């Protein structure tokens, strides 16, 4: 029988896509959905050396650039830490990044991931 496109994906890619969808749900305002635009964030590209956002992470999954779950988690942390570096504490973006980081990492603990199978070994 012919496998559906999604079934042809590598197991790691399918897991990362599932985790990404779960993380994106925690960004209802879509502040992290696309690259931050210098026109709305003056000086952003001078302050943030390694920008990251959910659409870039999705592209990296599709291009099989993530060799491990840790590389994926590191990009998620980079994205949140960038926002807490550029935006002052108390701003809507700094608060959103703190909340996203903490709630997102709770979903990425070994206990939460173990039920997803031993593909991480
Ligand atoms: C993809 O990035 C965005 C997309 C949409 C919005 C947005 O709808 N902002 C409205 C809430 C008050 C204006 C903000 C952002 C945004 C994210 C960020 C981050 C993540 O630092 N940011 C920083 C300064 C100014 N705008 C932003």
């Amino acid at each position: 029988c012919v496998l559906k496109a999604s079934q042809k994906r590598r197991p790691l890619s399918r897991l990362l896509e599932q985790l990404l969808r779960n993380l994106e749900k925690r960004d209802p305002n879509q502040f992290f959905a696309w690259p931050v635009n210098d026109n709305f964030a003056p000086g952003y590209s001078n302050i943030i050396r390694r920008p990251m956002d959910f659409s870039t992470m999705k592209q990296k999954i599709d291009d099989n650039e993530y060799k491990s779950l840790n590389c994926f988690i590191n990009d998620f942390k980079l994205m949140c830490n960038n926002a807490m570096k550029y935006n002052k504490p108390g701003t809507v973006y700094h608060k959103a990044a703190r909340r996203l980081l903490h709630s997102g990492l709770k979903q990425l603990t070994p206990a939460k991931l173990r039920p997803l199978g031993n593909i991480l070994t």
Side-chain angles (χ1 to χ4, degrees), residues 84-101:
M84 290 189 282
K85 178 180 180 186
Y86 175 80
N87 302 284
K88 299 280 174 286
T91 57
V92 65
Y93 306 117
H94 190 283
K95 285 188 281 192
R98 260 172 56 92
R99 275 194 17 234
L100 177 61
L101 180 64

Side-chain angles (χ1 to χ4, degrees), residues 31-32 34-49 51-52 82-88 91-94:
F31 293 156
F32 301 90
W34 310 104
V36 178
N37 185 322
D38 266 52
N39 298 323
F40 298 106
Y44 191 85
S45 47
N46 300 322
I47 297 165
I48 299 301
R49 288 289 169 227
M52 189 47 63
N82 285 344
M84 290 189 282
K85 178 180 180 186
Y86 175 80
N87 302 284
K88 299 280 174 286
T91 57
V92 65
Y93 306 117
H94 190 283

Side-chain angles (χ1 to χ4, degrees), residues 24-88:
E24 287 172 321
K25 281 190 288 193
R26 299 160 193 279
D27 173 32
N29 296 303
Q30 296 208 307
F31 293 156
F32 301 90
W34 310 104
V36 178
N37 185 322
D38 266 52
N39 298 323
F40 298 106
Y44 191 85
S45 47
N46 300 322
I47 297 165
I48 299 301
R49 288 289 169 227
R50 288 178 53 219
M52 189 47 63
D53 68 282
F54 282 138
S55 72
T56 302
M57 292 176 72
K58 175 75 173 80
Q59 191 59 54
K60 287 178 75 169
I61 294 172
D62 294 346
D63 298 344
N64 292 318
E65 276 189 55
Y66 289 119
K67 299 308 173 198
S68 72
L69 172 63
N70 266 342
C71 297
F72 173 84
I73 293 174
N74 287 340
D75 269 356
F76 173 67
K77 288 177 181 173
L78 171 65
M79 179 181 75
C80 297
N81 287 323
N82 285 344
M84 290 189 282
K85 178 180 180 186
Y86 175 80
N87 302 284
K88 299 280 174 286

